[in-house]
Amino acid sequence: SGTAITFELMSNNLEPLIVTDISIGATSVFATSTTFNNGESKIVTGTLAATCGAVGAPYSYSNVTITYTKGSITGLKEVGVKPLVGKCA
């Protein structure tokens, strides 16, 4: 809604993970270190560079990248293979 984007994230890793950034393209939309234990899910809200659009308008965001820390390894990245799609609220 507007420039807010909400994600529900869940960790299936046996070790705790610390999400440090979520980016869409080259733009960081969430940069608050957030720890996830095995099986834990959380809802996090980020800020988009531009408004989503009118209520009900479709959106598609490519190149969604989650950066995280696992143990002593920092800067690990997961890149979505498909775009994030939905409708603006």
Side-chain angles (χ1 to χ4, degrees):
S1 177
T3 59
I5 186 164
T6 303
F7 301 94
E8 181 174 8
L9 304 174
M10 180 178 178
S11 173
N12 289 322
N13 200 288
L14 295 177
E15 293 180 52
L17 301 177
I18 302 169
V19 172
T20 55
D21 187 77
I22 301 174
S23 297
I24 297 176
T27 304
S28 176
V29 297
F30 177 81
T32 303
S33 291
T34 305
T35 301
F36 290 84
N37 294 307
N38 181 317
E40 185 176 24
S41 66
K42 293 182 182 181
I43 295 175
V44 299
T45 301
T47 304
L48 297 167
T51 60
C52 182
V55 173
Y59 65 78
S60 177
Y61 297 118
S62 298
N63 300 319
V64 177
T65 304
I66 299 173
T67 305
Y68 62 97
T69 297
K70 179 180 176 182
S72 62
I73 304 171
T74 61
L76 296 166
K77 294 184 184 291
E78 291 289 330
V79 180
V81 294
K82 294 183 179 180
L84 211 62
V85 297
K87 293 186 178 183
C88 300

Coordinates of all heavy atoms in Angstrom, one line a residue:
S1 N 0.8 -1.2 0.0 CA 0.0 0.0 0.0 C 0.9 1.2 0.0 O 1.8 1.3 0.8 CB -0.9 0.0 1.2 OG -1.7 1.2 1.3
G2 N 0.7 2.2 -0.9 CA 1.5 3.3 -1.0 C 2.9 2.9 -1.3 O 3.2 2.2 -2.2
T3 N 3.9 3.4 -0.4 CA 5.3 3.0 -0.6 C 5.6 1.8 0.4 O 6.8 1.4 0.4 CB 6.2 4.1 -0.3 OG1 6.0 4.7 1.0 CG2 6.0 5.2 -1.4
A4 N 4.7 1.3 1.2 CA 4.9 0.2 2.1 C 4.8 -1.1 1.4 O 3.9 -1.3 0.6 CB 4.0 0.3 3.3
I5 N 5.7 -2.0 1.7 CA 5.6 -3.4 1.2 C 5.8 -4.3 2.4 O 6.7 -4.1 3.2 CB 6.7 -3.7 0.1 CG1 6.4 -5.1 -0.5 CG2 8.1 -3.5 0.5 CD1 7.1 -5.3 -1.8
T6 N 5.0 -5.3 2.5 CA 5.0 -6.2 3.6 C 5.4 -7.6 3.1 O 4.8 -8.1 2.1 CB 3.6 -6.3 4.3 OG1 3.3 -4.9 4.7 CG2 3.6 -7.2 5.5
F7 N 6.3 -8.3 3.8 CA 6.7 -9.6 3.5 C 6.5 -10.5 4.7 O 6.7 -10.1 5.8 CB 8.3 -9.7 3.3 CG 8.8 -8.8 2.2 CD1 9.2 -7.5 2.5 CD2 8.9 -9.3 0.9 CE1 9.8 -6.7 1.4 CE2 9.4 -8.5 -0.1 CZ 9.8 -7.2 0.2
E8 N 6.1 -11.8 4.4 CA 6.1 -12.8 5.5 C 7.3 -13.7 5.2 O 7.3 -14.3 4.1 CB 4.8 -13.6 5.6 CG 4.8 -14.6 6.7 CD 3.5 -15.3 6.9 OE1 2.6 -15.1 6.1 OE2 3.4 -16.0 7.9
L9 N 8.2 -13.8 6.1 CA 9.4 -14.6 5.9 C 9.4 -15.7 6.9 O 9.0 -15.5 8.0 CB 10.7 -13.7 6.1 CG 10.8 -12.5 5.2 CD1 12.1 -11.7 5.6 CD2 10.9 -12.9 3.7
M10 N 10.0 -16.9 6.4 CA 10.1 -18.0 7.3 C 11.4 -18.7 7.1 O 11.8 -18.8 5.9 CB 8.9 -19.0 7.1 CG 9.0 -20.2 8.0 SD 7.6 -21.3 7.7 CE 8.0 -22.6 8.8
S11 N 12.1 -19.1 8.2 CA 13.3 -19.8 8.1 C 13.1 -21.3 8.3 O 12.5 -21.7 9.3 CB 14.3 -19.3 9.1 OG 15.5 -20.1 9.1
N12 N 13.6 -22.1 7.4 CA 13.6 -23.6 7.6 C 15.0 -24.1 7.8 O 15.3 -25.3 7.7 CB 13.1 -24.2 6.3 CG 11.6 -24.0 6.2 OD1 10.9 -24.0 7.1 ND2 11.1 -23.8 5.0
N13 N 15.9 -23.2 8.1 CA 17.3 -23.5 8.4 C 17.5 -24.0 9.9 O 16.8 -23.5 10.7 CB 18.2 -22.3 8.2 CG 19.7 -22.7 8.0 OD1 20.3 -23.1 8.9 ND2 20.1 -22.6 6.7
L14 N 18.3 -25.0 10.1 CA 18.5 -25.5 11.5 C 19.2 -24.4 12.4 O 19.0 -24.4 13.6 CB 19.4 -26.8 11.4 CG 18.7 -27.9 10.7 CD1 19.6 -29.1 10.7 CD2 17.4 -28.3 11.4
E15 N 20.1 -23.6 11.8 CA 20.7 -22.5 12.5 C 19.9 -21.2 12.4 O 19.2 -21.0 11.5 CB 22.1 -22.2 11.9 CG 23.1 -23.4 12.1 CD 24.4 -22.9 11.4 OE1 25.0 -21.9 11.8 OE2 24.9 -23.7 10.6
P16 N 20.1 -20.4 13.5 CA 19.4 -19.1 13.4 C 20.0 -18.3 12.2 O 21.2 -18.4 11.9 CB 19.8 -18.4 14.7 CG 20.1 -19.5 15.6 CD 20.7 -20.6 14.8
L17 N 19.2 -17.5 11.5 CA 19.6 -16.6 10.4 C 19.3 -15.2 10.8 O 18.3 -15.0 11.5 CB 18.9 -17.0 9.1 CG 19.0 -18.4 8.6 CD1 18.2 -18.6 7.3 CD2 20.5 -18.7 8.3
I18 N 20.1 -14.3 10.4 CA 19.8 -12.9 10.6 C 19.6 -12.2 9.2 O 20.6 -12.1 8.5 CB 20.9 -12.2 11.4 CG1 21.1 -12.9 12.7 CG2 20.6 -10.7 11.6 CD1 22.4 -12.4 13.5
V19 N 18.4 -11.8 8.9 CA 18.2 -11.1 7.7 C 18.6 -9.7 7.9 O 18.3 -9.0 8.8 CB 16.7 -11.1 7.3 CG1 16.4 -10.2 6.1 CG2 16.2 -12.6 7.0
T20 N 19.5 -9.2 7.0 CA 20.1 -7.9 7.1 C 19.6 -6.9 6.0 O 19.7 -5.7 6.2 CB 21.6 -7.9 7.1 OG1 22.0 -8.6 5.9 CG2 22.2 -8.7 8.3
D21 N 19.0 -7.4 4.9 CA 18.6 -6.5 3.9 C 17.7 -7.3 2.9 O 17.9 -8.5 2.7 CB 19.8 -6.0 3.1 CG 19.4 -5.0 2.0 OD1 19.1 -3.8 2.5 OD2 19.2 -5.3 0.8
I22 N 16.7 -6.6 2.4 CA 15.8 -7.1 1.3 C 15.9 -6.0 0.3 O 15.6 -4.8 0.6 CB 14.4 -7.4 1.7 CG1 14.3 -8.4 2.9 CG2 13.5 -7.8 0.5 CD1 13.0 -8.7 3.4
S23 N 16.2 -6.3 -0.9 CA 16.3 -5.4 -2.0 C 15.5 -5.8 -3.2 O 15.3 -7.0 -3.5 CB 17.8 -5.2 -2.5 OG 18.6 -4.8 -1.5
I24 N 14.9 -4.8 -3.9 CA 14.2 -5.0 -5.1 C 15.0 -4.3 -6.2 O 15.2 -3.1 -6.1 CB 12.8 -4.5 -5.1 CG1 12.0 -5.3 -4.0 CG2 12.1 -4.7 -6.5 CD1 10.6 -4.8 -3.8
G25 N 15.6 -5.1 -7.1 CA 16.6 -4.5 -8.0 C 17.8 -4.0 -7.2 O 18.3 -4.8 -6.4
A26 N 18.2 -2.8 -7.4 CA 19.3 -2.2 -6.7 C 18.9 -1.4 -5.5 O 19.7 -0.8 -4.8 CB 20.2 -1.4 -7.7
T27 N 17.6 -1.4 -5.2 CA 17.1 -0.5 -4.1 C 16.7 -1.4 -2.9 O 15.9 -2.3 -2.9 CB 15.8 0.2 -4.6 OG1 16.1 0.9 -5.8 CG2 15.3 1.1 -3.5
S28 N 17.4 -1.0 -1.7 CA 17.1 -1.6 -0.5 C 15.7 -1.2 0.0 O 15.4 0.0 0.0 CB 18.1 -1.3 0.6 OG 17.8 -1.8 1.8
V29 N 14.8 -2.1 0.4 CA 13.5 -1.8 0.9 C 13.4 -2.1 2.3 O 12.4 -1.7 3.0 CB 12.4 -2.4 0.0 CG1 12.4 -1.9 -1.4 CG2 12.4 -3.9 0.1
F30 N 14.3 -2.9 2.9 CA 14.2 -3.3 4.3 C 15.7 -3.6 4.8 O 16.4 -4.4 4.2 CB 13.4 -4.6 4.5 CG 13.4 -5.1 5.9 CD1 12.5 -4.6 6.8 CD2 14.2 -6.1 6.3 CE1 12.4 -5.0 8.1 CE2 14.1 -6.6 7.6 CZ 13.3 -6.1 8.5
A31 N 16.1 -2.9 5.8 CA 17.5 -3.0 6.2 C 17.6 -3.0 7.7 O 18.5 -2.5 8.3 CB 18.4 -1.9 5.6
T32 N 16.7 -3.7 8.4 CA 16.7 -3.9 9.8 C 17.1 -5.3 10.2 O 16.4 -6.2 9.8 CB 15.4 -3.6 10.4 OG1 15.0 -2.3 10.0 CG2 15.4 -3.7 11.9
S33 N 18.3 -5.5 10.8 CA 18.7 -6.9 11.2 C 17.6 -7.6 12.0 O 17.2 -7.1 13.1 CB 20.0 -6.8 12.0 OG 21.1 -6.4 11.2
T34 N 17.2 -8.7 11.5 CA 16.1 -9.4 12.1 C 16.4 -10.9 12.2 O 16.7 -11.5 11.2 CB 14.8 -9.3 11.3 OG1 14.5 -7.9 11.2 CG2 13.6 -9.9 12.0
T35 N 16.4 -11.5 13.4 CA 16.8 -12.9 13.6 C 15.6 -13.8 13.4 O 14.5 -13.5 13.9 CB 17.4 -13.1 15.0 OG1 18.6 -12.2 15.1 CG2 17.9 -14.5 15.2
F36 N 15.9 -14.9 12.7 CA 14.9 -16.0 12.5 C 15.5 -17.3 13.0 O 16.5 -17.7 12.6 CB 14.5 -16.1 11.1 CG 13.8 -15.0 10.5 CD1 14.4 -13.9 10.0 CD2 12.4 -15.0 10.4 CE1 13.7 -12.8 9.5 CE2 11.7 -14.0 9.8 CZ 12.3 -12.9 9.4
N37 N 14.8 -18.0 13.9 CA 15.1 -19.3 14.4 C 14.5 -20.3 13.5 O 13.6 -20.0 12.7 CB 14.7 -19.5 15.8 CG 15.5 -18.6 16.8 OD1 16.8 -18.6 16.7 ND2 14.8 -17.8 17.6
N38 N 14.9 -21.6 13.6 CA 14.3 -22.6 12.7 C 12.8 -22.7 12.9 O 12.3 -22.7 14.0 CB 14.9 -24.0 13.2 CG 14.4 -25.1 12.3 OD1 13.2 -25.2 12.0 ND2 15.3 -26.0 11.9
G39 N 12.1 -22.6 11.8 CA 10.6 -22.7 11.7 C 9.9 -21.4 12.1 O 8.7 -21.3 12.0
E40 N 10.7 -20.4 12.4 CA 10.1 -19.1 12.8 C 9.7 -18.3 11.6 O 10.4 -18.2 10.7 CB 11.0 -18.3 13.7 CG 10.4 -17.1 14.3 CD 11.4 -16.4 15.2 OE1 12.6 -16.6 15.2 OE2 10.9 -15.6 16.1
S41 N 8.5 -17.7 11.7 CA 8.1 -16.8 10.6 C 7.8 -15.4 11.2 O 7.4 -15.3 12.4 CB 6.9 -17.3 9.8 OG 5.7 -17.3 10.7
K42 N 8.1 -14.4 10.4 CA 7.8 -13.0 10.9 C 7.3 -12.2 9.7 O 7.6 -12.5 8.6 CB 9.1 -12.4 11.4 CG 9.6 -13.0 12.7 CD 10.9 -12.2 13.2 CE 11.4 -12.9 14.4 NZ 12.6 -12.2 15.0
I43 N 6.6 -11.2 10.0 CA 6.1 -10.2 9.0 C 7.0 -9.0 9.2 O 7.1 -8.4 10.3 CB 4.6 -9.9 9.2 CG1 3.8 -11.2 8.9 CG2 4.2 -8.8 8.3 CD1 2.3 -11.1 9.1
V44 N 7.6 -8.6 8.1 CA 8.4 -7.3 8.1 C 7.9 -6.4 7.0 O 7.3 -6.8 6.0 CB 9.9 -7.7 7.8 CG1 10.4 -8.6 8.9 CG2 10.1 -8.3 6.5
T45 N 8.0 -5.1 7.3 CA 7.5 -4.1 6.4 C 8.7 -3.2 5.9 O 9.5 -2.8 6.7 CB 6.5 -3.2 7.0 OG1 5.4 -4.0 7.5 CG2 5.9 -2.2 6.1
G46 N 8.8 -3.0 4.6 CA 9.8 -2.2 4.0 C 9.2 -1.0 3.3 O 8.0 -0.8 3.3
T47 N 10.1 -0.2 2.7 CA 9.6 1.0 2.0 C 10.1 1.0 0.6 O 11.3 0.9 0.3 CB 10.2 2.3 2.7 OG1 9.8 2.2 4.1 CG2 9.7 3.5 2.0
L48 N 9.2 1.1 -0.4 CA 9.5 1.1 -1.8 C 9.9 2.5 -2.2 O 9.6 3.5 -1.6 CB 8.2 0.7 -2.6 CG 7.7 -0.7 -2.4 CD1 6.3 -0.8 -3.0 CD2 8.6 -1.7 -3.0
A49 N 10.7 2.5 -3.3 CA 11.1 3.8 -3.9 C 10.0 4.6 -4.5 O 10.0 5.8 -4.5 CB 12.2 3.6 -4.9
A50 N 8.9 3.9 -5.0 CA 7.8 4.6 -5.6 C 6.5 4.0 -5.1 O 6.5 2.8 -4.6 CB 7.9 4.5 -7.1
T51 N 5.4 4.6 -5.2 CA 4.1 4.1 -4.7 C 3.7 2.9 -5.5 O 4.1 2.8 -6.7 CB 3.0 5.1 -4.8 OG1 2.8 5.5 -6.1 CG2 3.3 6.3 -3.9
C52 N 3.0 2.0 -4.9 CA 2.6 0.7 -5.6 C 1.6 1.0 -6.7 O 1.8 0.5 -7.8 CB 1.9 -0.2 -4.5 SG 1.4 -1.8 -5.2
G53 N 0.7 1.9 -6.5 CA -0.3 2.2 -7.5 C -1.7 2.2 -6.9 O -1.9 2.2 -5.6
A54 N -2.7 2.3 -7.7 CA -4.1 2.3 -7.2 C -4.5 1.0 -6.6 O -3.9 0.0 -6.9 CB -5.0 2.7 -8.4
V55 N -5.4 1.1 -5.7 CA -5.9 -0.1 -5.0 C -6.4 -1.1 -6.1 O -7.2 -0.8 -7.0 CB -7.1 0.2 -4.0 CG1 -7.7 -1.1 -3.5 CG2 -6.6 1.0 -2.9
G56 N -5.9 -2.3 -6.0 CA -6.3 -3.4 -7.0 C -5.4 -3.4 -8.2 O -5.5 -4.4 -9.0
A57 N -4.5 -2.5 -8.4 CA -3.6 -2.5 -9.5 C -2.6 -3.6 -9.4 O -2.1 -3.8 -8.3 CB -2.9 -1.1 -9.7
P58 N -2.3 -4.3 -10.4 CA -1.3 -5.4 -10.3 C 0.1 -4.8 -10.1 O 0.4 -3.7 -10.7 CB -1.4 -6.2 -11.6 CG -2.0 -5.2 -12.5 CD -2.8 -4.2 -11.7
Y59 N 1.0 -5.5 -9.4 CA 2.4 -5.2 -9.4 C 3.3 -6.4 -9.7 O 2.8 -7.5 -9.5 CB 2.8 -4.5 -8.1 CG 2.7 -5.5 -6.9 CD1 3.7 -6.4 -6.6 CD2 1.7 -5.4 -6.0 CE1 3.6 -7.3 -5.5 CE2 1.6 -6.2 -4.9 CZ 2.5 -7.2 -4.7 OH 2.4 -8.0 -3.6
S60 N 4.5 -6.2 -10.1 CA 5.4 -7.2 -10.4 C 6.8 -6.7 -10.1 O 7.2 -5.7 -10.7 CB 5.4 -7.7 -11.8 OG 6.3 -8.7 -12.0
Y61 N 7.5 -7.3 -9.1 CA 8.9 -6.8 -8.7 C 9.9 -8.0 -9.0 O 9.7 -9.1 -8.5 CB 8.9 -6.4 -7.3 CG 8.1 -5.3 -6.9 CD1 7.0 -5.4 -6.0 CD2 8.2 -4.0 -7.5 CE1 6.2 -4.3 -5.7 CE2 7.4 -3.0 -7.2 CZ 6.4 -3.1 -6.3 OH 5.6 -2.0 -6.0
S62 N 10.8 -7.7 -9.9 CA 11.8 -8.7 -10.2 C 13.1 -8.4 -9.4 O 13.2 -7.4 -8.8 CB 12.2 -8.6 -11.7 OG 11.1 -8.8 -12.5
N63 N 14.0 -9.4 -9.4 CA 15.3 -9.3 -8.8 C 15.1 -9.0 -7.3 O 15.8 -8.1 -6.7 CB 16.2 -8.2 -9.4 CG 16.5 -8.6 -10.9 OD1 16.7 -9.7 -11.2 ND2 16.4 -7.6 -11.7
V64 N 14.3 -9.7 -6.6 CA 14.1 -9.6 -5.1 C 15.3 -10.4 -4.5 O 15.4 -11.6 -4.7 CB 12.8 -10.1 -4.6 CG1 12.7 -10.0 -3.1 CG2 11.7 -9.3 -5.3
T65 N 16.1 -9.7 -3.7 CA 17.3 -10.3 -3.1 C 17.2 -10.2 -1.5 O 17.0 -9.1 -1.0 CB 18.6 -9.7 -3.6 OG1 18.6 -9.7 -5.0 CG2 19.8 -10.3 -3.0
I66 N 17.4 -11.3 -0.8 CA 17.4 -11.3 0.6 C 18.9 -11.5 1.0 O 19.5 -12.5 0.6 CB 16.5 -12.4 1.2 CG1 15.0 -12.1 0.8 CG2 16.6 -12.4 2.7 CD1 14.1 -13.2 1.2
T67 N 19.4 -10.6 1.8 CA 20.8 -10.8 2.3 C 20.7 -11.2 3.8 O 19.9 -10.6 4.5 CB 21.6 -9.4 2.1 OG1 21.5 -9.1 0.7 CG2 23.0 -9.6 2.5
Y68 N 21.5 -12.1 4.2 CA 21.5 -12.6 5.5 C 22.8 -13.1 6.1 O 23.7 -13.3 5.3 CB 20.4 -13.7 5.7 CG 20.7 -15.0 4.8 CD1 21.3 -16.1 5.4 CD2 20.4 -15.0 3.5 CE1 21.6 -17.2 4.7 CE2 20.7 -16.1 2.7 CZ 21.3 -17.2 3.3 OH 21.5 -18.3 2.6
T69 N 22.8 -13.3 7.4 CA 24.0 -13.9 8.0 C 23.6 -15.2 8.6 O 22.5 -15.4 9.2 CB 24.4 -13.0 9.2 OG1 24.8 -11.7 8.6 CG2 25.6 -13.5 10.0
K70 N 24.5 -16.2 8.4 CA 24.3 -17.6 9.0 C 25.6 -17.9 9.7 O 26.7 -18.0 9.1 CB 24.1 -18.6 7.9 CG 23.9 -20.0 8.3 CD 23.7 -20.9 7.2 CE 23.6 -22.3 7.7 NZ 23.4 -23.3 6.5
G71 N 25.5 -18.0 11.1 CA 26.7 -18.2 11.9 C 27.7 -17.1 11.7 O 27.3 -15.9 11.9
S72 N 28.9 -17.4 11.3 CA 29.9 -16.3 11.2 C 30.0 -15.9 9.7 O 30.9 -15.1 9.4 CB 31.3 -16.8 11.7 OG 31.7 -18.0 10.9
I73 N 29.2 -16.4 8.8 CA 29.2 -16.0 7.4 C 28.2 -14.9 7.2 O 27.0 -15.1 7.3 CB 28.9 -17.3 6.5 CG1 29.9 -18.4 6.8 CG2 29.0 -16.9 5.1 CD1 29.5 -19.7 6.2
T74 N 28.7 -13.8 6.8 CA 27.9 -12.6 6.5 C 27.7 -12.4 5.0 O 28.5 -12.9 4.2 CB 28.4 -11.3 7.1 OG1 29.7 -11.1 6.6 CG2 28.6 -11.5 8.6
G75 N 26.7 -11.7 4.6 CA 26.5 -11.3 3.2 C 26.0 -12.3 2.3 O 26.1 -12.2 1.1
L76 N 25.5 -13.4 2.8 CA 24.9 -14.5 2.0 C 23.6 -13.9 1.3 O 22.9 -13.1 1.9 CB 24.5 -15.7 2.8 CG 25.6 -16.4 3.5 CD1 25.1 -17.4 4.5 CD2 26.4 -17.2 2.4
K77 N 23.4 -14.3 0.1 CA 22.3 -13.7 -0.7 C 21.4 -14.8 -1.3 O 22.0 -15.8 -1.8 CB 22.8 -12.8 -1.8 CG 23.5 -11.6 -1.3 CD 23.9 -10.7 -2.4 CE 24.7 -9.5 -1.9 NZ 23.9 -8.5 -1.2
E78 N 20.1 -14.6 -1.3 CA 19.2 -15.5 -2.0 C 18.4 -14.6 -2.9 O 17.9 -13.5 -2.5 CB 18.2 -16.1 -1.0 CG 18.8 -17.2 -0.1 CD 19.1 -18.4 -0.8 OE1 18.4 -18.8 -1.8 OE2 20.1 -19.1 -0.4
V79 N 18.4 -14.9 -4.2 CA 17.7 -14.1 -5.2 C 16.5 -14.9 -5.7 O 16.6 -16.1 -6.1 CB 18.7 -13.8 -6.4 CG1 18.0 -13.0 -7.5 CG2 19.9 -13.1 -5.9
G80 N 15.4 -14.3 -5.8 CA 14.2 -14.9 -6.3 C 14.3 -15.2 -7.7 O 14.8 -14.4 -8.5
V81 N 13.9 -16.4 -8.1 CA 13.9 -16.8 -9.5 C 12.7 -16.4 -10.3 O 12.7 -16.3 -11.5 CB 14.1 -18.4 -9.7 CG1 15.5 -18.8 -9.1 CG2 13.0 -19.1 -9.0
K82 N 11.7 -16.0 -9.6 CA 10.4 -15.5 -10.2 C 10.1 -14.1 -9.6 O 10.5 -13.9 -8.4 CB 9.3 -16.5 -10.0 CG 9.4 -17.8 -10.7 CD 8.2 -18.6 -10.5 CE 8.4 -20.0 -11.2 NZ 7.2 -20.8 -11.0
P83 N 9.4 -13.3 -10.3 CA 9.1 -12.0 -9.8 C 8.0 -12.1 -8.6 O 7.3 -13.1 -8.6 CB 8.5 -11.2 -10.9 CG 8.2 -12.2 -12.0 CD 9.0 -13.4 -11.7
L84 N 8.0 -11.2 -7.8 CA 7.0 -11.0 -6.7 C 5.8 -10.4 -7.4 O 6.0 -9.3 -7.9 CB 7.6 -10.2 -5.6 CG 7.2 -10.4 -4.2 CD1 7.6 -11.7 -3.7 CD2 7.9 -9.3 -3.3
V85 N 4.7 -11.0 -7.3 CA 3.5 -10.4 -8.0 C 2.3 -10.3 -7.0 O 2.3 -11.1 -6.0 CB 3.0 -11.2 -9.2 CG1 4.1 -11.2 -10.3 CG2 2.7 -12.7 -8.8
G86 N 1.4 -9.4 -7.2 CA 0.2 -9.3 -6.4 C -0.6 -8.1 -6.8 O -0.4 -7.6 -7.9
K87 N -1.4 -7.6 -5.9 CA -2.2 -6.4 -6.2 C -2.0 -5.4 -5.1 O -1.9 -5.8 -3.9 CB -3.7 -6.8 -6.3 CG -4.0 -7.6 -7.6 CD -5.5 -7.8 -7.8 CE -5.6 -8.7 -9.0 NZ -7.0 -8.9 -9.4
C88 N -2.0 -4.1 -5.4 CA -1.8 -3.1 -4.5 C -3.0 -3.0 -3.5 O -4.1 -3.2 -4.0 CB -1.6 -1.7 -5.2 SG -0.2 -1.7 -6.3
A89 N -2.7 -2.7 -2.3 CA -3.8 -2.6 -1.3 C -4.2 -1.1 -1.0 O -3.4 -0.2 -1.2 CB -3.4 -3.3 0.0

